[in-house]
Structure formats: C-alpha cells, structure tokens
C-alpha cells in the first residue's frame, strides 16, 4: 500500500482520524485536519514558503536537524497538490509489454532516503552523463532511449529497491563488471505521461500523482519492474515529456 501524505503540509496520514473534513462532515483524504477543516483551509492565505517554515519545528521535534528539515521540505512541499503549479497528469494507458533485458549502472535506495539530502538518485544521473555510460553499453536496442529502472523491491513503495540507469539491450553474450544486467518479465503496465516541462520538476510531480492514483484506483502493482522512458521527447530537458511504466496485475 502507498503512504498517504497531506497534500498541504506533507504530513503522513496513517489513520483516518487525521483526515481533514468537508462541510458535510465527510473525511477528506487529501488534506490533514491541521490544514483543512469544514471544507476549507485553516490558513487560506498561507504561502508555500510560510508552510515550509511552519513545518520545520515539528520535524526538529522528531530528531531531524533544522537544515536537513529545510532541505526535505523544499524537495517535497512544491509538489503537493495545494502548491503545485501544473495540473495532475492524465489517466494512464494500460498496455502489455514483452519482457526485456536491461543493462546499466545500479544502486540501492528507498523513497524515504530520496526525500533527504542523502538521496542518491541525482548523483546517479550525474554519474551516468559525466561518465558517458550510454556510449559504453553494447548491443543497445534503441540508442535514443534511456531507461531509469526501479526493480528488486524489498516489498512495496515504502521499501528498498534497486535504482538503475541504462537502456534495453539485445540478449548480452557476456556480462560486464561495470554494469548490472536485469531481466524484466512481460507485464501489463499502467503508462503515465508527464506534463511537458523541466525534467527535474515534471518527473517528481508525476510520481506524486501516480502514488495518489494507485491509492484510489483499486489497481494493484506487481513491483516486478517499473521504469521511466526518456526518448526523443527529452532532447530539450526544459521542455521534456516522459512516459512512466508501472507494472500491474
């Protein structure tokens, strides 16, 4: 199950008692009771920057250093529904995709780490491009395609997983000590297409929408391998469009 976060302050909402309320008394599953009550925000004129500063002391009480709390909030608050600048992504397409072989660089991480200054995904992208990794991968199916792969999940979205950057390859005749090789099974996928914009903004925003979609859709993930596909539409990183494939039952 995906973790539900308040789409105003980012607080985890593990119990329905924390949900905000509508005028009818109905629970609102998007906003917490500290931000939203009786169908409206308690502090309707609060800015995003004020919300970040408001949340810092609560995170410090939980043992997080003030500078780390600021970094975490700056990386998460702008993508929440109340503050985001673009519309949510559209409903996904459901497609069946054959299995494929992936080759690239690999690390181990989890979403809780990626929300902190210790997150490794940005440094992996830097390593991929500065090290010219794409040029070193043999037998590529499509050299114009870069894949960011999420695989080998420990359990679900809250657990550890492998994060890899590379591409689809023909069946390799030998392994390389420098790269990981992964076999991704055939699967049905829910394919989400991001809004057009800056890659570093549209992809995190899309993941927020994806987690929310799975909370309400009733569709179950298999965690057999999910990936972001960067193709010809990403030539301009400031006006990019990315497809995100989520394996489903």
């Amino acid at each position: 199950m995906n973790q539900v976060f308040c789409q105003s302050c980012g607080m985890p909402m593990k119990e329905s008692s924390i949900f905000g309320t509508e005028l009818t008394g109905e629970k609102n599953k998007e906003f917490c009771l500290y931000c939203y009550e009786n169908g409206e925000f308690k502090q309707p004129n609060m800015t995003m920057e004020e919300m970040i500063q408001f949340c810092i002391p609560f995170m410090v009480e939980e043992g997080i250093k003030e500078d780390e709390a600021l970094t975490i909030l700056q990386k998460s608050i702008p993508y929440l529904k109340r503050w985001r600048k673009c519309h949510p992504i559209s409903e996904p397409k459901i497609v069946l995709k054959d299995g494929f072989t992936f080759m690239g660089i690999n690390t181990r991480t989890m979403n809780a780490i990626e929300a902190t200054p210790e997150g490794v995904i940005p440094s992996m992208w830097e390593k991929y491009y500065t090290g010219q990794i794409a040029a070193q991968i043999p037998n590529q199916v499509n050299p114009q395609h870069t894949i960011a792969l999420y695989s080998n999940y420990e359990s679900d979205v809250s657990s550890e997983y492998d994060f890899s950057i590379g591409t689809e390859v023909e069946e390799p005749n030998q392994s390389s000590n420098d790269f990981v090789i992964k076999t991704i099974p055939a699967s049905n996928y829910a394919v989400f297409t991001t809004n057009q914009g800056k890659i570093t903004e549209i992809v995190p925003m899309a993941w927020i929408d994806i987690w929310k979609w799975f909370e309400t859709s009733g569709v179950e993930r298999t965690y057999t391998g999910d990936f972001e596909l960067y193709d010809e539409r990403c030539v301009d990183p400031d006006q990019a469009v990315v497809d995100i494939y989520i394996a489903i039952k």
Side-chain angles (χ1 to χ4, degrees), residues 4 36 78 183 228 239 247:
V4 179
Y36 192 85
T183 300
E228 301 157 4
Q239 294 296 325

Side-chain angles (χ1 to χ4, degrees), residues 57-70:
F58 296 100
M59 298 182 69
V60 171
E61 287 182 3
E62 295 177 359
I64 301 174
K65 295 180 180 179
E66 185 172 340
D67 59 340
E68 292 185 357
L70 176 61

Side-chain angles (χ1 to χ4, degrees), residues 99-240:
F100 64 95
T101 302
F102 168 94
M103 181 181 286
I105 56 176
N106 184 73
T107 191
R108 189 79 173 160
T109 188
M110 62 189 303
N111 291 332
I113 293 176
E114 293 306 314
T116 73
E118 283 71 42
V120 298
I121 289 179
S123 62
M124 284 287 287
W125 280 108
E126 181 179 3
K127 177 181 178 180
Y128 185 79
Y129 285 111
T130 60
Q132 298 184 329
I133 301 300
Q136 303 174 44
I137 298 177
N139 305 322
Q140 298 184 36
V141 172
N142 191 332
Q144 302 301 316
H145 288 184
T146 297
I147 292 174
L149 176 67
Y150 302 78
S151 64
N152 194 23
Y153 287 89
E154 183 179 354
S155 57
D156 57 20
V157 70
S158 63
S159 67
E160 290 188 348
Y161 54 82
D162 283 356
F163 176 76
S164 316
I165 308 175
T167 191
E168 182 179 354
V169 296
E170 300 291 348
E171 194 67 34
N173 51 27
Q174 63 180 13
S175 62
S176 169
N177 292 329
D178 297 326
F179 302 123
V180 67
I181 296 173
K182 291 179 174 287
T183 300
I184 307 303
S187 178
N188 287 312
Y189 288 91
V191 183
F192 298 83
T193 301
T194 69
N195 294 301
Q196 184 176 31
K198 191 173 182 179
I199 285 180
T200 54
E201 295 179 356
I202 60 172
V203 174
M205 286 184 180
W207 276 107
I208 296 293
D209 291 338
I210 289 169
W211 293 328
K212 184 64 180 177
W213 188 84
F214 277 101
E215 278 294 329
T216 59
S217 68
V219 178
E220 295 185 52
R221 296 174 62 176
T222 63
Y223 296 99
T224 52
D226 310 313
F227 61 94
E228 301 157 4
L229 176 62
Y230 298 85
D231 54 22
E232 295 83 356
R233 296 168 297 172
C234 301
V235 172
D236 181 353
D238 291 327
Q239 294 296 325

